[in-house]
Amino acid sequence: MIPMTRPLLDDTECDAVLRVLRSGMLVQGAEVERFEQLVAEQSGRAHGVAVANGTAALVLALTAAGVGPGDEVLVPALTWPSPAHAVRGVGATVKLVDVHPDEWNSTEDAFAAARSPRTRAAIVIDQFGNPARAAALRPVLAGLLVIEDAACALGSVFADGTPCGSLGDISCFSFHPRKVITTGEGGMCVTNDAELARRLRVLRNHGQTAPGVFERHAGNHRLTELQGALGVAQMARLSSINEGRRAHARQIQAALRESAPGLSFQVAPAGSQPNLQTLGALLPAGTSPAQRDRFIEDCRRFGAQAGPLSYALSQVSSVTPDPDATRPDGEPWVAVDLVARGVSLPLFPTMSDADREQVISAVTRAYAELHAPPR
Ligand SMILES: Cc1ncc(COP(=O)(O)O)c(C=O)c1O
């Protein structure tokens, strides 16, 4: 079975981790600092603050900016629940914003319609590494705290040529193994605001401004030196990883457009450069979740580890009180439809030609079985 993903790790990463182990200096230090500089540079930001994971990055970003009870925060409706959980975690209220049916991100019109006098902040997501419409969003979100959830989007580029990770007040990354580079677990906030960066550093380290000087109560969200060294080694590969992902994705999509013509793929805004962190596909309109599940099962049976696409947060009970509710305007959620017929397909930069052909063949065969009678 071709796995959904396979992180690109070789002797370089092993040597980096062993070097740290042998040094005996295991907690946040020079390696983490170098990793922070590299990710900040990549994102066109002045400061990087590494933390334990992408979810912690979001919680700390909201906390550093003072978001809390009484504040409403706009959150795109199609994603892993972390951004909504982070908002709830700081005591603020989530207001879901539906997503575009082709781009799978929330657009400027959707954010504008959702914004209310109570709105304090907006989280903009580059879902699956697909760049949000940064230039159109900036004026619509003016006056709000803007946090970019770029968890999936390291190395993606907005249509105006600026890097993902450069939008708004703070951008947050994840380095979970499903992301384009990994430190096992890991995350980072990047920002141009020196005071926000200072607060983030205090928040990740027990609230300390100096050893033993506690400015506020806070947890421990530090990254280890082992992870920092891994991150530095991975950053050297970022562009080749993303080039590999894009090249394989182009070939898989082109082949499937011929062999499984009812499948459709996430569309990037014209001129932008997605990193293809996830190769998502939609089954034809009207496909039921049960048919989608059988399609996933069939892909696996034929040798490709497909999986469900993502979550519609309007249906996630830890986010919303009524998982059956329609949108506030009475229309059905686009996010619910995308999740019902969405799948993610295997993609990783070290795929061989044979791996790629196996994915194409498995998906093609599973697609042919879509309308077969139940087994
Ligand atoms: C859009 C988005 N935000 C946040 C996260 C959370 O990152 P982590 O798993 O590192 O906590 C994820 C992880 O899948 C994600 O996809």
Side-chain angles (χ1 to χ4, degrees):
M1 171 118 77
I2 307 300
M4 179 75 76
T5 193
R6 189 179 285 147
L8 202 172
L9 304 164
D10 68 15
D11 284 353
T12 312
E13 280 77 6
C14 296
D15 292 347
V17 170
L18 281 176
R19 181 166 36 78
V20 173
L21 267 182
R22 292 195 176 105
S23 78
M25 304 286 288
L26 303 188
V27 297
Q28 182 190 293
E31 298 282 354
V32 171
E33 201 172 311
R34 179 73 191 127
F35 182 39
E36 291 174 334
Q37 284 165 357
L38 291 171
V39 176
E41 220 168 84
Q42 166 64 38
S43 329
R45 298 282 206 174
H47 311 278
V49 181
V51 294
N53 52 64
T55 307
L58 290 164
V59 173
L60 267 52
L62 291 162
T63 310
V67 175
D71 292 331
E72 177 181 272
V73 183
L74 307 182
V75 179
L78 177 89
T79 189
W80 179 251
S82 286
H85 285 173
V87 170
R88 296 207 64 185
V90 300
T93 306
V94 174
K95 186 171 203 183
L96 294 179
V97 184
D98 207 1
V99 295
H100 188 278
D102 303 323
E103 296 174 21
W104 310 353
N105 285 326
S106 301
T107 62
E108 62 281 11
D109 291 345
F111 273 111
R115 187 173 176 171
S116 81
R118 285 200 317 284
T119 306
R120 167 83 199 287
I123 296 182
V124 175
I125 306 182
D126 310 303
Q127 189 62 40
F128 306 133
N130 198 33
R133 298 183 187 179
L137 287 167
R138 284 189 193 99
V140 164
L141 301 178
L144 300 179
L145 170 82
V146 175
I147 294 176
E148 180 189 3
D149 182 342
C152 305
L154 191 67
S156 295
V157 182
F158 292 123
D160 65 4
T162 55
C164 287
S166 65
L167 181 66
D169 299 277
I170 304 177
S171 301
C172 300
F173 291 107
S174 164
F175 307 114
H176 180 273
R178 271 298 306 274
K179 305 303 188 277
V180 292
I181 68 158
T182 187
T183 56
E185 295 278 5
M188 198 177 299
C189 296
V190 293
T191 180
N192 285 331
D193 184 319
E195 173 55 17
L196 282 177
R198 187 195 73 80
R199 286 188 220 157
L200 288 164
R201 290 193 189 99
V202 169
L203 281 165
R204 77 165 162 193
N205 189 19
H206 304 285
Q208 294 179 99
T209 51
V213 182
F214 300 94
E215 180 178 279
R216 55 182 301 164
H217 68 87
N220 172 0
H221 306 282
R222 293 186 305 251
L223 208 61
T224 65
E225 279 292 86
L226 302 159
Q227 292 166 301
L230 202 43
V232 171
Q234 288 270 279
M235 280 303 283
R237 302 181 186 278
L238 177 66
S239 39
S240 68
I241 286 175
N242 285 346
E243 274 162 31
R245 300 189 71 86
R246 289 181 187 120
H248 286 301
R250 261 198 307 274
Q251 296 192 55
I252 294 172
Q253 288 173 339
L256 290 177
R257 282 197 177 98
E258 300 288 320
S259 64
L263 287 186
S264 53
F265 300 98
Q266 188 175 27
V267 175
S272 70
Q273 245 188 302
N275 64 4
L276 272 297
Q277 178 269 336
T278 287
L279 177 55
L282 295 183
L283 295 164
T287 304
S288 69
Q291 286 171 309
R292 178 213 51 195
D293 288 346
R294 201 178 96 167
F295 176 85
I296 290 172
E297 203 183 289
D298 284 343
C299 284
R300 292 178 180 194
R301 198 157 57 91
F302 297 135
Q305 190 192 32
L309 185 66
S310 186
Y311 296 86
L313 298 189
S314 62
Q315 296 180 309
V316 173
S317 59
S318 56
V319 174
T320 174
D322 179 5
D324 295 322
T326 55
R327 294 194 323 200
D329 63 2
E331 294 295 318
W333 290 92
V334 171
V336 168
D337 176 50
L338 297 181
V339 165
R341 56 195 179 93
V343 295
S344 43
L345 304 177
L347 181 69
F348 45 93
T350 52
M351 266 183 162
S352 63
D353 292 353
D355 292 342
R356 200 179 56 235
E357 289 310 314
Q358 186 168 324
V359 171
I360 293 165
S361 147
V363 175
T364 303
R365 290 173 70 189
Y367 183 80
E369 301 251 325
L370 246 189
H371 300 292
R375 281 196 297 276

Coordinates of all heavy atoms in Angstrom, one line a residue, residues 54-55 58-59 62 73-90 93-94 96 123-125 127 147-151 313 319:
G54 N 1.4 23.0 16.4 CA 0.7 24.1 15.7 C -0.5 24.6 16.5 O -0.9 25.7 16.5
T55 N -1.1 23.7 17.3 CA -2.3 24.1 18.2 C -1.8 25.0 19.2 O -2.4 26.1 19.5 CB -2.9 22.8 18.8 OG1 -3.2 21.9 17.7 CG2 -4.2 23.2 19.5
L58 N -1.4 28.5 17.9 CA -2.6 29.3 17.8 C -3.1 29.8 19.1 O -3.5 30.9 19.3 CB -3.7 28.4 17.1 CG -3.5 28.1 15.7 CD1 -4.4 26.9 15.2 CD2 -3.8 29.3 14.8
V59 N -3.0 28.9 20.2 CA -3.5 29.4 21.5 C -2.6 30.5 22.0 O -3.1 31.5 22.5 CB -3.4 28.2 22.5 CG1 -3.7 28.7 23.9 CG2 -4.4 27.1 22.1
L62 N -3.3 33.8 20.1 CA -4.5 34.5 20.6 C -4.3 35.1 22.0 O -4.7 36.2 22.3 CB -5.7 33.5 20.7 CG -6.2 33.0 19.4 CD1 -7.0 31.7 19.5 CD2 -7.1 34.1 18.7
V73 N -14.4 35.5 17.3 CA -13.3 35.3 16.4 C -13.8 34.5 15.2 O -14.5 33.5 15.3 CB -12.2 34.5 17.1 CG1 -11.0 34.3 16.1 CG2 -11.7 35.2 18.3
L74 N -13.6 35.0 14.0 CA -14.0 34.4 12.8 C -13.1 33.2 12.4 O -11.8 33.4 12.5 CB -14.0 35.4 11.6 CG -14.8 36.7 11.8 CD1 -14.8 37.6 10.6 CD2 -16.2 36.4 12.2
V75 N -13.7 32.1 12.1 CA -12.9 30.9 11.9 C -13.4 30.1 10.6 O -14.6 29.8 10.6 CB -12.9 29.9 13.1 CG1 -12.1 28.6 12.8 CG2 -12.4 30.5 14.4
P76 N -12.6 29.9 9.6 CA -13.1 29.1 8.5 C -13.7 27.8 8.9 O -13.2 27.1 9.8 CB -11.9 29.0 7.6 CG -11.0 30.2 8.0 CD -11.2 30.3 9.4
A77 N -14.7 27.3 8.1 CA -15.5 26.2 8.6 C -15.0 24.8 8.1 O -15.4 23.8 8.6 CB -17.0 26.3 8.1
L78 N -14.0 24.8 7.2 CA -13.4 23.6 6.8 C -12.0 23.5 7.2 O -11.1 24.1 6.7 CB -13.4 23.5 5.2 CG -12.8 22.2 4.7 CD1 -13.9 21.1 4.6 CD2 -12.1 22.4 3.3
T79 N -11.7 22.6 8.2 CA -10.4 22.5 8.7 C -10.3 21.5 9.9 O -11.4 21.0 10.3 CB -9.8 23.8 9.2 OG1 -8.4 23.7 9.5 CG2 -10.5 24.3 10.5
W80 N -9.1 21.1 10.3 CA -8.9 20.4 11.5 C -9.4 21.3 12.7 O -9.3 22.5 12.6 CB -7.4 20.1 11.7 CG -7.0 19.4 12.9 CD1 -6.3 19.9 14.0 CD2 -7.2 18.0 13.2 NE1 -6.1 18.9 14.9 CE2 -6.7 17.7 14.5 CE3 -7.9 16.9 12.5 CZ2 -6.7 16.5 15.1 CZ3 -7.9 15.7 13.1 CH2 -7.3 15.5 14.4
P81 N -10.0 20.8 13.7 CA -10.6 21.6 14.7 C -9.7 22.6 15.5 O -10.2 23.5 16.2 CB -11.3 20.6 15.7 CG -11.5 19.4 14.9 CD -10.3 19.3 13.9
S82 N -8.4 22.4 15.4 CA -7.5 23.2 16.2 C -7.8 24.7 16.3 O -7.8 25.3 17.4 CB -6.0 23.1 15.8 OG -5.6 21.8 16.2
P83 N -8.0 25.4 15.2 CA -8.2 26.9 15.3 C -9.4 27.2 16.1 O -9.4 28.1 17.0 CB -8.3 27.4 13.9 CG -8.2 26.2 13.0 CD -7.9 25.0 13.8
A84 N -10.5 26.4 15.9 CA -11.7 26.7 16.7 C -11.5 26.3 18.2 O -11.9 27.0 19.1 CB -12.9 25.9 16.1
H85 N -10.8 25.2 18.4 CA -10.5 24.8 19.8 C -9.6 25.9 20.5 O -9.8 26.1 21.7 CB -9.8 23.5 19.8 CG -10.7 22.3 19.6 ND1 -10.2 21.0 19.4 CD2 -12.0 22.2 19.4 CE1 -11.2 20.2 19.2 NE2 -12.4 20.9 19.2
A86 N -8.7 26.4 19.7 CA -7.8 27.5 20.3 C -8.7 28.7 20.8 O -8.5 29.2 21.9 CB -6.8 27.9 19.3
V87 N -9.6 29.1 19.9 CA -10.5 30.2 20.2 C -11.3 29.9 21.5 O -11.4 30.7 22.4 CB -11.4 30.5 19.1 CG1 -12.5 31.6 19.4 CG2 -10.6 31.0 17.9
R88 N -11.9 28.7 21.5 CA -12.7 28.3 22.7 C -11.8 28.2 23.9 O -12.2 28.6 25.0 CB -13.4 27.0 22.5 CG -14.4 27.1 21.3 CD -15.5 26.1 21.5 NE -16.3 26.4 22.7 CZ -17.3 25.7 23.1 NH1 -17.6 24.6 22.4 NH2 -17.9 26.0 24.2
G89 N -10.6 27.7 23.7 CA -9.6 27.6 24.8 C -9.3 28.9 25.5 O -9.0 28.8 26.7
V90 N -9.2 30.0 24.8 CA -9.0 31.3 25.5 C -10.2 31.9 25.9 O -10.2 33.1 26.4 CB -8.1 32.2 24.6 CG1 -6.8 31.6 24.2 CG2 -8.9 32.6 23.3
T93 N -15.4 33.4 21.5 CA -16.5 32.8 20.8 C -16.1 32.5 19.4 O -15.6 33.5 18.7 CB -17.8 33.7 20.9 OG1 -18.0 34.0 22.2 CG2 -19.0 33.0 20.3
V94 N -16.4 31.3 18.9 CA -16.1 31.0 17.5 C -17.3 31.5 16.6 O -18.5 31.1 16.9 CB -16.0 29.5 17.3 CG1 -15.8 29.1 15.8 CG2 -14.8 29.0 18.1
L96 N -18.2 30.8 12.7 CA -17.7 30.0 11.5 C -18.0 30.8 10.3 O -19.0 31.4 10.1 CB -18.4 28.7 11.5 CG -18.0 27.7 12.6 CD1 -18.7 26.4 12.4 CD2 -16.5 27.5 12.7
I123 N -9.2 34.4 12.0 CA -8.2 33.4 11.7 C -8.4 33.1 10.2 O -9.5 32.8 9.7 CB -8.3 32.1 12.5 CG1 -8.1 32.5 14.0 CG2 -7.3 31.1 12.0 CD1 -8.1 31.3 14.9
V124 N -7.3 33.3 9.4 CA -7.3 33.0 8.0 C -6.5 31.8 7.8 O -5.4 31.7 8.3 CB -6.7 34.2 7.2 CG1 -6.6 33.8 5.7 CG2 -7.5 35.5 7.4
I125 N -7.1 30.8 7.1 CA -6.4 29.5 6.9 C -6.0 29.3 5.5 O -6.8 29.6 4.6 CB -7.3 28.3 7.4 CG1 -7.8 28.5 8.8 CG2 -6.6 27.0 7.2 CD1 -8.7 27.4 9.3
Q127 N -5.8 26.5 3.7 CA -6.1 25.0 3.9 C -5.4 24.1 2.9 O -5.5 24.3 1.7 CB -7.7 24.9 3.9 CG -8.1 23.5 4.3 CD -7.8 23.2 5.8 OE1 -7.9 24.1 6.6 NE2 -7.3 22.0 6.0
I147 N -4.9 36.5 12.5 CA -3.9 35.4 12.7 C -4.1 34.5 11.5 O -5.2 34.0 11.1 CB -4.3 34.6 14.0 CG1 -4.0 35.6 15.2 CG2 -3.4 33.4 14.1 CD1 -4.4 35.0 16.5
E148 N -2.9 34.3 10.8 CA -2.9 33.3 9.7 C -2.6 31.9 10.2 O -1.5 31.7 10.8 CB -1.9 33.8 8.7 CG -1.8 32.9 7.4 CD -0.6 33.2 6.5 OE1 0.2 34.1 6.9 OE2 -0.6 32.5 5.5
D149 N -3.5 31.0 10.0 CA -3.2 29.6 10.3 C -2.6 29.0 9.0 O -3.3 28.6 8.1 CB -4.5 28.8 10.7 CG -4.2 27.4 11.1 OD1 -3.1 26.9 10.7 OD2 -5.0 26.8 11.7
A150 N -1.2 29.1 9.0 CA -0.5 28.6 7.9 C 0.1 27.2 8.2 O 1.2 26.8 7.7 CB 0.6 29.6 7.5
A151 N -0.6 26.5 9.1 CA -0.1 25.2 9.6 C 0.4 24.3 8.4 O 1.4 23.7 8.6 CB -1.2 24.5 10.4
L313 N -16.5 22.2 10.5 CA -16.6 22.5 11.9 C -18.0 22.8 12.4 O -18.3 22.7 13.6 CB -15.7 23.7 12.3 CG -14.2 23.5 12.0 CD1 -13.4 24.6 12.6 CD2 -13.7 22.2 12.6
V319 N -17.2 22.2 18.8 CA -17.2 23.6 18.3 C -18.5 24.2 18.3 O -18.7 25.4 18.5 CB -16.6 23.6 16.9 CG1 -16.6 25.0 16.2 CG2 -15.1 23.0 16.9

